[in-house]
Amino acid sequence: MPSHWPERRFHLFELHDLAWFPAVFRSALTEWLRALWEYSEAADVVTPLLRKSLAISGAARLVDLCSGRSGPVIPVQNRLESAGVFLPVVITDKFPDHTALIRLRDQSGGRITVSLEPVDATSLPGDLLGFRTLFNAFHHFRPADARRILADAYRSRQPIGIFEITERRLSKVLLCFPASFLSVFLLIWKMYPHRMAWWIFTWLIPVIPITIAWDGLVSHLRTYTPAEMEQLIEGLRDETFRWETGRVAAPRAGLDVSYLIGVPVDPPGL
């Protein structure tokens, strides 16, 4: 059996990508992802990678794309600050949750700003400068759009970090549906705010566990392999822009974090 299975990438639909998908279920899924990331302590292994790349790039802030309700970037920001690196964060999303984002901004003490307008990750506004991050979101994009995200960062000379907890491996694909389904019942205690609708559609009518399990399965089937990542950055590498790929194990939950980081650097001789 090859290390990556199936060989062909399947871009099936994820429910929370659909514009008509009810907001109450979309917010539950994005909050579950946040809770899973926090429980896994994945920020502990991602932060050193970002810290090294930030030192090279000199970026003055993090620009988080496809953030959902804030996503993993917040614990990453906290760990950077614990290491003495203080950077503001800009939260963006294609479907911004205004209520959640305004609350997050107001409670951050100025550490976090938010975009209440939809932001297209394939072509950022010129004023959104900084280290771009995508946590658990890159697989949502078909190859042409995924390439545009990377090419936009390359052309703009802005650093970018792609981090994924899904893998297109047989063991992951087989386990993801039941594991995701059951994990909703375990993590709902850590999902905030404690919405009555989330509890009803988890414990009484398990729409949310089924939705998350389906989207989790599709996410694994959509995830790019390291070889496919190399194809996506073909022609975007030169002496002034470096790329690094790899995988690190999160401390908990049996998760591995795959990453692709691109950083502009000074050309030799300068």
Side-chain angles (χ1 to χ4, degrees):
M1 178 65 66
S3 60
H4 294 284
W5 180 95
E7 287 296 322
R8 185 167 71 87
R9 179 178 179 272
F10 287 89
H11 198 95
L12 305 176
F13 69 92
E14 288 192 50
L15 290 166
H16 79 288
D17 282 344
L18 305 175
W20 56 261
F21 191 60
V24 65
F25 298 145
R26 180 182 291 111
S27 63
L29 188 145
T30 55
E31 175 60 13
W32 172 82
L33 274 173
R34 184 206 62 77
L36 176 63
W37 181 274
E38 184 177 277
Y39 174 77
S40 72
E41 298 179 355
D44 288 355
V45 294
V46 167
T47 301
L49 298 171
L50 275 175
R51 188 180 178 188
K52 179 180 72 172
S53 299
L54 284 165
I56 296 171
S57 69
R61 65 178 177 178
L62 298 178
V63 179
D64 196 48
L65 309 177
C66 308
S67 301
R69 294 168 57 83
S70 76
V73 72
I74 303 306
V76 168
Q77 183 190 37
N78 292 337
R79 283 163 177 76
L80 283 171
E81 290 180 354
S82 297
V85 180
F86 296 87
L87 287 179
V89 170
V90 184
I91 301 293
T92 75
D93 198 78
K94 184 178 181 180
F95 302 108
D97 184 331
H98 289 189
T99 300
L101 294 184
I102 290 172
R103 182 187 306 114
L104 179 69
R105 180 196 64 193
D106 293 346
Q107 294 175 350
S108 72
R111 297 165 59 244
I112 298 168
T113 58
V114 302
S115 173
L116 298 180
E117 298 297 323
V119 172
D120 182 358
T122 66
S123 181
L124 269 63
D127 61 338
L128 273 183
L129 301 178
F131 198 115
R132 304 176 183 186
T133 55
L134 286 91
F135 293 97
N136 310 320
F138 196 64
H139 62 268
H140 289 244
F141 298 90
R142 294 181 183 275
D145 287 330
R147 167 80 175 187
R148 290 190 188 100
I149 291 172
L150 302 173
D152 188 66
Y154 175 76
R155 285 193 302 268
S156 303
R157 318 309 292 173
Q158 298 300 302
I160 185 170
I162 309 293
F163 304 94
E164 297 271 67
I165 59 173
T166 52
E167 294 181 69
R168 208 166 76 230
R169 292 177 178 270
L170 179 59
S171 59
K172 299 285 187 177
V173 171
L174 292 178
L175 288 174
C176 67
F177 191 97
S180 299
F181 183 91
L182 292 174
S183 70
V184 179
F185 296 94
L186 299 175
L187 291 176
I188 193 170
W189 311 91
K190 297 180 178 293
M191 293 166 57
Y192 299 101
H194 294 310
R195 293 184 177 178
M196 181 62 68
W198 291 353
W199 290 77
I200 291 173
F201 286 107
T202 295
W203 291 98
L204 298 182
I205 311 171
V207 174
I208 290 174
I210 291 172
T211 296
I212 289 175
W214 168 259
D215 278 15
L217 172 62
V218 173
S219 295
H220 283 276
L221 293 173
R222 282 179 168 190
T223 299
Y224 294 98
T225 66
E228 290 166 342
M229 285 288 202
E230 288 293 332
Q231 293 175 357
L232 289 174
I233 60 175
E234 186 175 347
L236 304 180
R237 180 190 283 113
D238 58 41
E239 62 181 5
T240 66
F241 205 98
R242 298 176 186 167
W243 297 93
E244 177 185 349
T245 62
R247 179 183 297 122
V248 288
R252 302 174 66 185
L255 297 181
D256 290 330
V257 182
S258 300
Y259 64 88
L260 170 67
I261 297 175
V263 180
V265 295
D266 292 332
L270 292 185

